[in-house]
Amino acid sequence: HVQRPGETCAVFLMLYGILRTMVEFFREQTYTGLSLLEWDITRGQLLTIPLFIAGVLLWVWVRRRRAS
């Protein structure tokens, strides 16, 4: 498997988003949770959603760029 430019960054962003969300479940919160779509999520979890999405978009872009 040949590593393509951008793949490592995309994987990092996706894994960081997933792992940070998991860690937030165990952290003691110093502020109240946010109610979004009837889910109680923390600010940290909310802020990692764009990082995960950026990782997915980068992964797709790298893969499509390779195909063309």
Side-chain angles (χ1 to χ4, degrees):
H1 174 70
V2 176
Q3 197 88 28
R4 289 162 192 85
E7 277 187 347
T8 303
C9 183
V11 170
F12 172 79
L13 289 173
M14 289 186 288
L15 287 176
Y16 181 81
I18 291 168
L19 294 174
R20 173 72 187 262
T21 300
M22 289 172 38
V23 167
E24 288 286 328
F25 281 115
F26 301 105
R27 278 186 61 202
E28 182 177 336
Q29 300 303 318
T30 57
Y31 49 85
T32 59
L34 304 169
S35 290
L36 180 68
L37 302 173
E38 297 183 16
W39 298 324
D40 281 335
I41 62 173
T42 66
R43 188 175 301 145
Q45 291 169 330
L46 185 63
L47 292 173
T48 58
I49 292 171
L51 289 175
F52 179 78
I53 292 171
V56 170
L57 292 175
L58 181 60
W59 180 266
V60 169
W61 182 70
V62 166
R63 291 296 182 163
R64 285 190 180 178
R65 193 176 79 183
R66 180 196 77 155
S68 60

